[in-house]
Amino acid sequence: MSGSDRLRDLARLVFHLGNNKISLAGTVLTTGSAFTLVWFWVMEATSHRAVNPYVGILLFLLLPGLFVIGLMLIPLGMWLRRRRLAKEGALPTVYPQIDLGTPSVRNAILLVILATGANIVLMGNASIKGVEYMDSNQFCGLTCHTVMAPEYTAFLNSPHSRVGCAQCHIGPGAGWFVKSKLSGTRQLFAVAFKTFSRPIPSPVDHLRPARETCEQCHWPQKFHGDKLLVRTKFGEDEANTPSTTVLLLKIGGTTWQGKAGIHGRHLDNEERIHYISVDGRRQEIPKVTYRDDSGKLVEYVSDDLKKVPADKLAKAESRAMDCVDCHNRPTHAFELPDRAVDKAMMEGRVSRDLPFVKKTAVALLKKEYPSREAAAAQISAGIADFYKTTYPEVFKQKQALVEAAAVAVKEIYLRNIFPEMKINWGTHPNQIGHEESAGCFRCHDGSHKAADGRVIEADCTTCHTILAQDEKDPKVLKDISPK
Ligand code: HEC
Ligand code: HEC
Ligand code: HEC
Ligand code: HEC
Ligand code: HEC
């Protein structure tokens, strides 16, 4: 049988069996959703507004679903009709002639071929768009609004606000994509039935190793040398007296001395450091193993290990150290009141010319409020009232500054405190230094000792050279940039 004969037979079969209600309904559904989809895509491509996450679900997930269901109804209808005909004994051995010479028949076949082609293109595009959408920040951050609000808000205020959630939480490759969609489905149920934990637990149990995510963009071999850190704080006195600390952080990495400094010591081609933590939050780390430069395995144990009950020790988490053990809040960086106000003052959003503004702001932030709305109102009013009653002259002359400060302080509260998710000051501590939480001192506390007498260094010069500490006008800064 030649190709064209086969095609003719197939066409006859389709014509004969396709003539049933289910297949017709399928055709209508598919065509209808196809037109709607294309229309939405045109709208999406030409509009400047981001897609609303709920419309997004309809657009990128539901419509393609209908489209596929429609497509599947067509053969289903044909199959059912064939079965019925067979039962009735009415199935023709040769399907009724269709005359390829007739233009209408030829056009019909052409139409089916074209429609099939278009369907394949549409399906491809729809699945790419669906996947893209499910990985988008709107979908991850906004669809389950209350649940993700804290992480999404902190993310928007971070250096990674232009990086996709999926780039850190899923990373490249099909394996993790499928894994994440499976756990995503579980999460949808958790949200639907409100069984999720508040706050969402951190550390994340099965976060993909940072090697495979962070290192898509940053890689340890890239680091070398020191980093200058200049940090200004403001006092709680009337003049909000500033003081500045200047540190040379030995961030290190690959240098002529080999793997040195902060990045070089902990991270290497092999997983260099393993540790166990016993509190479920990676705050208490009683044992660390380290492969030193000669390849020897060193075991550092703190006195605390002896105090850990055996059952707790059996459940301890064992982990290979990676980026996230120091940079646990690279993007969901919640702030503490003191530092947040310092930062707002550095940026000029809270003016240093307002007497006692640092003290007032921090005190207002630390108070407890019945809700976010109440907090927003009372913080704004609190700042204004303070100047109205205590410094009426200042209030009169600098009302604009007072109002700006009120807004800035209120915003600090709103981006850090989420009572619905039980996120309060310090719920998710940042491990990067040792000021806000134990951080580096979880291991570098001088009490982690090896059998041969070695200690994980706790000397202040191990990690940084302190060039100035809380000085009014550090000389070193003038030396670096003389005017
Ligand atoms: C730069 C990388 C990065 C990006 C981008 C990112 N995350 Fe995260 N996320 C992390 C890390 C790291 C953690 C904490 C991991 C740990 O401590 O185990 C985390 C933790 C979380 C947690 C657990 C709760 C918590 O606060 O620790 C949630 C929920 C979360 N992220 C949601 C999101 C959402 C939603 C987005 C996008 C809007 C996003 N993440 C974007 C890196 C990222
Ligand atoms: C898709 C690329 C991408 C990924 C993935 C990524 N980052 Fe970044 N990261 C960036 C960019 C871009 C910047 C610089 C932003 C800037 O300069 O404002 C940055 C900045 C940083 C900084 C400096 C922040 C600062 O305050 O200046 C740190 C630390 C960092 N990333 C850590 C991480 C960690 C840890 C991960 C994995 C959990 C990660 N990044 C994943 C792109 C990425
Ligand atoms: C032992 C803790 C530790 C580990 C592990 C670690 N870092 Fe860092 N990293 C630091 C510290 C400390 C700084 C400086 C902090 C600062 O700028 O305040 C830093 C700075 C950075 C910066 C900013 C560099 C700059 O020049 O501003 C990036 C980007 C970064 N780290 C990425 C990573 C990535 C990616 C990994 C994993 C491959 C990683 N870090 C592992 C401690 C660590
Ligand atoms: C999980 C435990 C752990 C944590 C957390 C940790 N370190 Fe380390 N660190 C080690 C170990 C182990 C060594 C290697 C000790 C040795 O040389 O025998 C090390 C070595 C170093 C060195 C090299 C010291 C030298 O003599 O060359 C620096 C610098 C350093 N760490 C900085 C930091 C900083 C900064 C942080 C926090 C951002 C940090 N570490 C967090 C375990 C840790
Ligand atoms: C294991 C490494 C390590 C050791 C040991 C260490 N520091 Fe630090 N320190 C850091 C890192 C990392 C930062 C920067 C944190 C950040 O980026 O916020 C820091 C920041 C600081 C700051 C500035 C903090 C701020 O926000 O004002 C001071 C001051 C400081 N260290 C003092 C000390 C003193 C004093 C000692 C000795 C008792 C010491 N450090 C030991 C790693 C270390």
Side-chain angles (χ1 to χ4, degrees), residues 175-214:
W176 282 91
F177 177 78
V178 172
K179 246 188 229 180
S180 79
K181 292 308 157 209
L182 288 179
S183 91
T185 315
R186 217 172 345 98
Q187 287 158 17
L188 274 183
F189 280 104
V191 171
F193 298 110
K194 301 214 183 321
T195 56
F196 52 86
S197 1
R198 299 157 206 251
I200 306 278
S202 193
V204 180
D205 261 351
H206 301 292
L207 194 73
R208 187 168 185 180
R211 298 243 91 121
E212 299 161 23
T213 53
C214 315

Side-chain angles (χ1 to χ4, degrees), residues 160 210-211 214-215 217-220 222-223 226-229 231 249 251 262-263 266-267 321-327 431-433 440 444:
H160 289 104
R211 298 243 91 121
C214 315
E215 290 186 22
C217 301
H218 315 279
W219 48 103
K222 200 185 74 173
F223 298 110
D226 299 341
K227 176 181 176 178
L228 193 69
L229 187 75
R231 189 162 285 154
L249 273 172
I251 61 173
I262 299 172
H263 287 118
H266 306 88
L267 305 164
M321 190 172 184
D322 70 16
C323 317
V324 167
D325 288 298
C326 298
H327 298 283
Q431 310 286 16
I432 197 69
C440 314
H444 291 267

Side-chain angles (χ1 to χ4, degrees), residues 39 79 100 105 182 188 236 246 283 318 352 371 384 406 446 472:
W39 173 244
W79 179 72
L100 282 177
V105 170
L182 288 179
L188 274 183
E236 298 211 333
V246 185
Q283 293 287 9
S318 177
R352 287 162 53 182
S371 68
K472 188 161 168 288

Side-chain angles (χ1 to χ4, degrees), residues 231 233 247 339 432 434-435 444 459-460 463-464 469:
R231 189 162 285 154
K233 297 178 184 166
L247 295 178
R339 250 199 205 179
I432 197 69
H434 47 77
E435 293 266 299
H444 291 267
D459 193 274
C460 305
C463 309
H464 45 57
Q469 191 166 356

Side-chain angles (χ1 to χ4, degrees), residues 136-142 147-148 150-153 155-156 158 160-169 199-207 213-214 218 281-282 319 323-325 327-332 334 423 428:
S136 74
N137 295 350
Q138 279 105 331
F139 181 77
C140 302
L142 290 178
V147 187
M148 286 296 156
E151 277 74 26
Y152 189 62
T153 310
F155 159 88
L156 287 180
S158 86
H160 289 104
S161 57
R162 297 293 180 271
V163 171
C165 317
Q167 279 171 297
C168 291
H169 283 284
I200 306 278
S202 193
V204 180
D205 261 351
H206 301 292
L207 194 73
T213 53
C214 315
H218 315 279
R281 297 224 54 188
R282 297 182 194 152
R319 187 175 147 79
C323 317
V324 167
D325 288 298
H327 298 283
N328 67 326
R329 317 304 302 171
T331 188
H332 314 296
F334 297 102
I423 301 257
H428 288 308

